[in-house]
Amino acid sequence: MEKPKVFANPINKKINNVQDLFRSDKSNRTSPIDVNKKINEIFASRNHVYKSKVKITTKSSVFETEIVGKTNLNLLTLDGKLINITDIVDIERI
């Protein structure tokens, strides 16, 4: 049996598809899932009765506050402020 004839177009130019430079940003390594997990662990802790003193690192600042509640999108502080959870990079209990 004879094989079918296939036309192969010749390549008459230089192919340069090699990547010369790669950059990575290590600052956004913490995923929102990890932050939500940390927040849930703080509220589920035996030490959390009404409020918990925490250190929050956001995209723009680092501050200490006392959190008293949580919604799907925000943390509620004792001062009455709302902190957007998507802006939080890291949270730790003090």
Side-chain angles (χ1 to χ4, degrees), residues 26-42 53-65 67 75 83-94:
K26 294 182 180 180
S27 64
N28 288 334
R29 295 268 177 168
T30 306
S31 67
I33 297 169
D34 294 335
V35 173
N36 280 329
K37 183 178 176 184
K38 286 182 177 184
I39 292 170
N40 289 336
E41 287 174 357
I42 290 171
K53 188 165 183 161
V54 293
K55 179 180 176 184
I56 298 176
T57 305
T58 62
K59 295 176 183 176
S60 60
S61 65
V62 177
F63 57 93
E64 294 181 3
T65 188
I67 56 174
L75 285 178
I83 303 168
N84 196 350
I85 293 177
T86 57
D87 292 340
I88 297 174
V89 176
D90 190 28
I91 185 169
E92 61 184 55
R93 185 174 168 84
I94 299 178

